[in-house]
């Protein structure tokens, strides 16, 4: 073992950068190929004298047959193409050697060549394309017919066919599982991307509603300003210049509203689900109704809105509603029977939305896809906030969002 360890360290210290051929340099850089070279040298030393003792082959041909069979082992770890070359070398060499008279051998094929042929055939079954396995098996069986005695042929050919079929089945199954796993990853990425795009489209529609509401108010206020001023106590009048300014403001707001509708109109739903999507945008005022619906569905929910001044949260309120809605839905699905604690607190100019559920009491409804968390992150980011989530120490789950309120 110490000798092998010293040899391995010596090989590792050798640099083959000076070798001109890049293919040879890559071959020599692999430790496994050095194992193949060692096997080739060992079998050459065995095959040469053994074949001389068992077969009537001219002395000058012995090194040719020994190298042609044994040095195929040098390619056993060098890749599919090299294995194919090595297998062809030993198959031809062993079959031709079997044609020479065997004076002192149990079978026409020299035993070292037979062992080498078995090794390279098995390597070929593991590395060659599956559609080439029948050809490899058929040619090797032909070499068995030439090199084995009649009473040995049937058994070895049967064993070869069984090994070929078994190896092919295992490789096909592993390949199919790999393809399924790769397609599953691609499908998950595609679903996650679709979830992000769908959530962004929904956010864009709701932001469109917010902008449309604000701009419509600007148009109405600009158009009615002179009437409201005239009705004030005491009454005020505006001159032609101010009237023109108000008219210009209304026109600009109306034009901006039209442009927003043109840009985001493509995100509007089809007529089939218009009744669902065109309902007023839900916000924090709708949270009590959401909590009541969850309780009616059997969710043990503890809700408290401790924000003293919401004002007009607009898109921030919609984000808070959607985050609470998604979190409660996830808790009901993945932690059935657990209590859900929902808290809304004010922290300066931000609102902290916290949803914490305990561990599941009943069997969860399968594993989650993570798309809900993606959507909640998109919600928080869309209004300039941030969201954190993760398991709790007692086996539950916590979602915390910091959402900035709009300044007035």
């Amino acid at each position: 073992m110490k000798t092998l360890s010293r040899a391995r360290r010596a090989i590792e210290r050798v640099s083959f950068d000076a070798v001109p051929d890049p293919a040879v340099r890559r071959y020599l850089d692999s430790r496994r190929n050095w194992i193949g070279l060692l096997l080739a040298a060992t079998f050459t030393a065995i095959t040469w004298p053994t074949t001389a003792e068992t077969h009537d082959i001219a002395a000058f041909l012995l090194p040719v047959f020994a190298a042609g069979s044994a040095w195929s082992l040098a390619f056993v770890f060098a890749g599919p193409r090299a294995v194919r070359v090595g297998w062809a070398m030993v198959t031809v060499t062993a079959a031709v050697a079997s044609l020479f008279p065997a004076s002192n051998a149990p079978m026409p094929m020299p035993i070292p060549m037979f062992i080498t042929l078995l090794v390279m055939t098995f390597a070929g079954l593991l590395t060659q394309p599956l559609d080439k396995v029948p050809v490899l098996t058929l040619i090797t069986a032909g070499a068995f017919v030439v090199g084995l005695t009649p009473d040995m042929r049937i058994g070895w050919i049967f064993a070869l066919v069984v090994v070929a079929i078994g190896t092919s089945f295992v490789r096909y199954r592993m390949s199919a599982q790999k393809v399924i796993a790769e397609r599953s990853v691609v499908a998950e990425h595609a679903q996650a991307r679709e979830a992000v795009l769908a959530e962004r489209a929904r956010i864009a529609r709701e932001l469109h509603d917010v902008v449309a509401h604000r701009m419509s108010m600007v148009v109405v206020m600009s158009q009615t300003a002179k009437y409201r001023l005239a009705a004030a106590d005491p009454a005020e009048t505006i001159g032609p210049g101010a009237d023109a300014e108000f008219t210009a403001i209304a026109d600009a707001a109306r034009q901006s509203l039209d442009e927003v509708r043109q840009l985001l109109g493509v995100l509007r739903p089809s007529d089939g689900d218009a009744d669902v999507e065109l309902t007023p945008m839900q916000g924090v005022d709708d949270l009590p109704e959401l909590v009541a619906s969850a309780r009616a569905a059997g969710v043990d929910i503890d809700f408290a809105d401790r924000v003293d001044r919401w004002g007009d949260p607009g898109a921030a309120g919609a984000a808070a509603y959607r985050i609470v809605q998604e979190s409660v839905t996830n808790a009901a699905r993945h932690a059935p029977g657990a209590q859900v604690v929902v808290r809304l607190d004010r922290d300066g100019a931000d609102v902290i939305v916290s949803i914490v559920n305990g561990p599941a009491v009943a069997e969860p409804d399968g594993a989650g896809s993570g798309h809900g968390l993606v959507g909640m992150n998109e919600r928080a980011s869309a209004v300039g906030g941030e969201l954190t989530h993760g398991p709790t120490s007692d086996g539950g789950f916590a979602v915390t969002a910091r959402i900035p309120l709009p300044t007035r």
Side-chain angles (χ1 to χ4, degrees):
M1 292 299 294
K2 292 182 178 179
T3 303
L4 292 177
S5 179
R6 286 196 296 268
R8 181 176 61 82
R9 288 196 296 270
I11 292 173
E12 290 176 350
R13 288 194 297 268
V14 175
S15 175
F16 299 100
D17 293 339
V19 178
D21 192 332
V24 176
R25 188 162 60 246
R26 287 194 301 270
Y27 177 88
L28 295 176
D29 282 337
S30 173
R31 298 180 188 177
R32 296 187 304 173
N33 289 335
W34 282 92
I35 297 175
L37 288 172
L38 180 61
L39 289 174
T42 302
F43 265 79
T44 300
I46 296 173
T47 305
W48 190 337
T50 301
T51 306
E53 289 290 332
T54 59
H55 287 70
D56 296 332
I57 300 178
F60 69 92
L61 291 177
L62 288 174
V64 177
F65 281 104
S69 62
W71 280 93
S72 63
L73 295 172
F75 303 117
V76 71
F77 300 119
R81 182 178 297 179
V83 169
R84 187 161 58 249
V85 172
W87 168 80
M89 286 172 52
V90 68
T91 302
V92 173
T93 304
V96 174
S98 302
L99 300 178
F100 286 85
S103 58
N104 188 23
M107 58 185 183
M109 185 180 294
I111 293 179
M113 295 185 186
F114 179 66
I115 295 174
T116 306
L117 175 61
L118 292 179
V119 172
M120 294 307 299
T121 299
F122 187 69
L125 292 176
L126 292 177
T127 59
Q128 300 308 299
L130 290 177
D131 58 345
K132 299 295 191 297
V133 168
V135 177
L136 182 147
T137 304
L138 182 62
I139 294 176
T140 302
F144 284 175
V145 171
V146 174
L148 301 180
T149 58
D151 59 330
M152 300 173 62
R153 292 171 188 167
I154 296 178
W156 278 104
I157 292 176
F158 177 77
L160 173 66
V161 173
V162 171
V163 172
I165 294 175
T167 305
S168 301
F169 175 77
V170 172
R171 287 182 57 195
Y172 177 79
R173 183 176 177 82
M174 293 176 62
S175 176
Q177 290 177 340
K178 182 179 179 181
V179 170
I180 291 173
E182 291 175 351
R183 290 181 179 177
S184 297
V185 171
V186 172
E188 289 177 0
H189 289 171
Q191 290 176 359
R193 180 174 176 79
E194 289 178 1
V196 170
L197 295 177
E199 192 64 24
R200 288 181 178 177
R202 189 169 183 173
I203 293 171
R205 290 195 296 268
E206 293 180 357
L207 290 178
H208 169 263
D209 293 341
V210 173
V211 172
H213 172 71
R214 303 297 183 192
M215 298 304 292
S216 298
M217 293 300 296
V218 171
V219 173
V220 172
M221 293 173 67
S222 300
Q223 290 179 333
T224 61
K226 59 183 179 181
Y227 303 106
R228 287 184 286 105
L229 291 175
D233 187 18
E236 298 180 25
T237 58
I238 59 174
D243 187 23
E245 287 293 329
F246 279 119
T247 302
I249 292 173
D251 292 340
R254 191 180 294 108
Q255 183 178 359
S256 298
L257 183 59
D258 292 339
E259 291 174 352
V260 169
R261 285 172 176 166
Q262 290 175 1
L263 289 173
L264 299 181
V266 293
L267 298 176
R268 279 299 181 190
S270 60
D271 295 339
D273 51 1
D275 293 339
V276 176
E277 296 291 345
L278 294 180
T279 56
M281 182 174 61
Q282 294 164 308
V284 291
D285 293 338
D286 300 295
L287 284 175
E289 182 180 352
L290 172 65
V291 172
S293 298
R295 287 172 178 164
V299 180
D300 181 8
I301 184 168
D302 180 7
F303 171 74
D305 182 359
R306 298 184 290 210
V307 179
D308 52 352
R309 298 184 310 277
W310 274 102
D312 188 1
Y321 177 89
R322 294 299 185 192
I323 290 173
V324 173
Q325 181 187 47
E326 184 64 33
S327 298
V328 172
T329 301
N330 287 344
R333 179 182 304 164
H334 305 301
Q339 185 184 42
V340 183
V341 179
V342 180
R343 294 288 184 267
L344 286 81
D345 296 284
R346 187 70 178 261
D347 183 15
D350 300 337
V351 169
I352 307 300
V353 181
S354 173
I355 307 96
V356 181
N357 64 266
V361 176
E363 185 69 22
D365 185 18
S369 63
H371 297 163
L373 295 175
V374 172
M376 287 191 284
N377 275 295
E378 290 288 324
R379 284 283 172 181
S381 300
V383 294
E386 57 184 12
L387 183 135
T388 58
H389 53 80
T392 60
S393 58
D394 62 349
F397 199 83
V399 176
T400 304
R402 176 179 289 272
I403 299 176
L405 292 177
T407 57
R408 295 288 184 267

